[in-house]
Amino acid sequence: MSASFRAVQWNRDKIVYDAVALLLIGAYVFGFMLAMRAGAPAGKAPAWADLRISAFGTCAFLLISIILSIGPLARLSPKFLPLLYNRRHLGVMAFIVAAIHGYSVLDWFVIRGSVPWIWNEITNVKDYAKFIGFPMKAIGLFCLIVFFVMAATSHDYWQKFLSPGAWKAIHMAIYGAYGLLVMHVALGLMQRDYSPVIPVALAIVAGTVALVHLLAAFKERSGDAPGDMTGDGWITVGAPQQIRDKHARIVCAPGGERIAVFRDGPIFGAVTNACAHQNGPLGEGRIIDGCITCPWHGWQYRIEDGCSPPPFKEKLATYRLRLRDGAIEVDPHPLPPGTPAALQLK
Amino acid sequence: MKRPHRAAHRIAWIVLTVLVAIGFTLALVQRKPQKKSAQSSFLHASYPPVTSEEQVR
């Protein structure tokens, strides 16, 4: 094995994050069930078993929508960064809520002794050729399997074992699963319940998720423009005082990779903009306790050489810097990870 | 994110948004007033709604 397993490192922030998330999930599920019972016409109150399916189903859909929105929202505004910090735990909770929804559906059929109906629905090949009438339970089951894979591989062990790039690529399956989840609702609940509430709510929630992603992608695209090149192939970053102390300026190398040039008082250091943990945007972080700190999960690296402080062993590629004609310039060719390359100005 | 992921991410969301918008619109326009399927009619006719007492099994 190329990676060793370490149990989740708990701290106060993670405990508070999880406690608040669990409380909100519990309040939503019970609030939903009680509100639906109370709002039903006299004598037509839905059964608790039906309500449980709806409550956990809508809760899972909302949770996954929120989880998918946190990333782009954090790119659009740093105010959302605290939500990103422990997003993986929220993802595992979303899988558990979705699994309870699936179990509740199964239980509904078990109570009626009609489990074969589910099997018939999923295995009726003819229905897969239909649009309206497509086996929506099969879509839901497929989404649940994808969510399980996401949750099961969410631990840092899998990320190290698979490498951050491969791990990220696998976890991008959540996008496709979300699209299928929308269709699971559109071909299921939306067809059974003719009220306008379902399509309107579905369009608002899914539309918002898509909108924030497209807005963040549009904003990101502007950062892909190559920086101003000098005659000898270096990139002009700007005057030293233009880089805010304890912060960075991000420039784009000709190949499209981004470089974060940090300033810590008189010391300037350039590292790759991609964190070794999850490729988080280091340049949007800041210097804390003398270390470059990733805005996503707080991983730290020394400005001098891009190495994580002991006992951690992560290393970032660094870049050579120089001061010429009153401007900081960076060589776009990366040095081997961990190579000292900081520039100290007097 | 590194460049390939940024590009894949951008394209994935544009494609996903278009596909889901088409699927959702089709599902919306083909929606018909509530008509229970044979399975649904059978199950609901054969078995009364489950009460909270029945669930305590």
Side-chain angles (χ1 to χ4, degrees):
Chain A
M1 289 286 181
S2 60
S4 57
F5 180 83
R6 285 177 65 191
V8 173
Q9 307 292 297
W10 287 96
N11 59 33
R12 187 181 171 277
D13 288 341
K14 285 186 182 179
I15 292 167
V16 170
Y17 190 110
D18 287 3
V20 171
L22 284 170
L23 274 173
L24 289 175
I25 291 168
Y28 175 86
V29 168
F30 287 107
F32 181 96
M33 292 169 81
L34 293 174
M36 295 299 276
R37 284 282 287 199
K44 288 191 173 179
W48 289 111
D50 292 332
L51 287 172
R52 194 175 66 185
I53 293 170
S54 305
F56 280 99
T58 54
C59 185
F61 181 70
L62 287 173
L63 263 177
I64 291 160
S65 302
I66 290 168
I67 291 164
L68 278 174
S69 303
I70 290 173
L73 284 173
R75 308 312 303 272
L76 293 169
S77 168
K79 286 177 186 169
F80 293 97
L81 280 170
L83 292 175
L84 192 69
Y85 174 67
N86 209 23
R87 185 174 52 170
R88 273 189 275 182
H89 288 201
L90 208 53
V92 174
M93 287 180 207
F95 162 69
I96 293 169
V97 171
I100 296 173
H101 167 69
Y103 167 77
S104 302
V105 172
L106 188 63
D107 192 42
W108 194 93
F109 282 88
V110 169
I111 289 170
R112 288 159 175 78
S114 306
V115 175
W117 280 106
I118 300 182
W119 181 249
N120 290 343
E121 185 178 331
I122 290 175
T123 55
N124 191 352
V125 181
K126 282 182 187 171
D127 285 348
Y128 284 87
K130 297 176 184 170
F131 182 66
I132 300 295
F134 190 94
M136 49 78 81
K137 287 190 186 65
I139 304 177
L141 183 63
F142 178 79
C143 291
L144 193 60
I145 292 168
V146 174
F147 298 149
F148 169 74
V149 173
M150 308 280 109
T153 59
S154 64
H155 193 277
D156 267 351
Y157 165 79
W158 286 103
Q159 198 181 301
K160 281 189 176 176
F161 182 68
L162 297 166
S163 84
W167 185 87
K168 199 84 184 169
I170 291 170
H171 278 239
M172 278 173 75
I174 188 77
Y175 303 154
Y178 185 69
L180 289 173
L181 196 60
V182 173
M183 293 314 297
H184 172 68
V185 181
L187 296 174
L189 182 63
M190 197 172 94
Q191 302 301 322
R192 288 200 307 275
D193 186 337
Y194 201 66
S195 82
V197 177
I198 309 296
V200 169
L202 188 60
I204 289 173
V205 175
T208 304
V209 174
L211 184 68
V212 292
H213 271 275
L214 295 174
L215 284 175
F218 186 74
K219 188 187 173 193
E220 274 281 301
R221 206 177 168 193
S222 60
D224 282 342
D228 293 335
M229 303 288 285
T230 63
D232 56 354
W234 287 52
I235 301 168
T236 305
V237 182
Q241 61 272 21
Q242 285 182 324
I243 304 176
R244 202 171 139 207
D245 193 23
K246 310 285 183 196
H247 289 76
R249 178 170 276 198
I250 301 167
V251 292
C252 191
E257 289 307 328
R258 294 177 184 175
I259 303 166
V261 182
F262 276 91
R263 176 186 170 194
D264 187 10
I267 302 170
F268 292 80
V271 295
T272 172
N273 192 47
C275 179
H277 179 217
Q278 274 192 27
N279 290 334
L282 283 174
E284 292 171 28
R286 58 196 175 100
I287 305 272
I288 298 173
D289 300 329
C291 286
I292 295 166
T293 305
C294 181
W296 281 9
H297 302 98
W299 283 43
Q300 293 192 304
Y301 309 91
R302 290 194 297 250
I303 190 171
E304 295 84 4
D305 55 10
C307 294
S308 288
F312 304 102
K313 293 174 182 171
E314 284 71 25
K315 290 177 183 175
L316 298 174
T318 55
Y319 295 82
R320 290 190 297 157
L321 289 171
R322 72 184 181 193
L323 181 68
R324 205 172 67 159
D325 298 333
I328 299 276
E329 292 174 353
V330 60
D331 179 1
H333 301 100
L335 297 168
T339 306
L343 175 72
Q344 180 151 10
L345 299 183
K346 291 177 183 174
Chain B
M1 286 194 284
K2 292 198 174 183
R3 195 186 183 192
H5 277 130
R6 285 202 301 272
H9 190 273
R10 216 172 279 156
I11 292 165
W13 272 100
I14 292 169
V15 172
L16 187 68
T17 304
V18 171
L19 288 178
V20 172
I22 292 169
F24 174 78
T25 308
L26 282 173
L28 190 63
V29 297
Q30 293 185 32
R31 197 161 73 131
K32 293 184 178 74
Q34 199 164 3
K35 185 183 165 189
K36 282 185 177 173
S37 65
Q39 172 186 333
S40 177
S41 303
F42 171 81
L43 289 170
H44 283 278
S46 308
Y47 303 94
V50 181
T51 62
S52 52
E53 289 75 27
E54 280 177 294
Q55 286 180 58
V56 183
R57 288 171 294 135

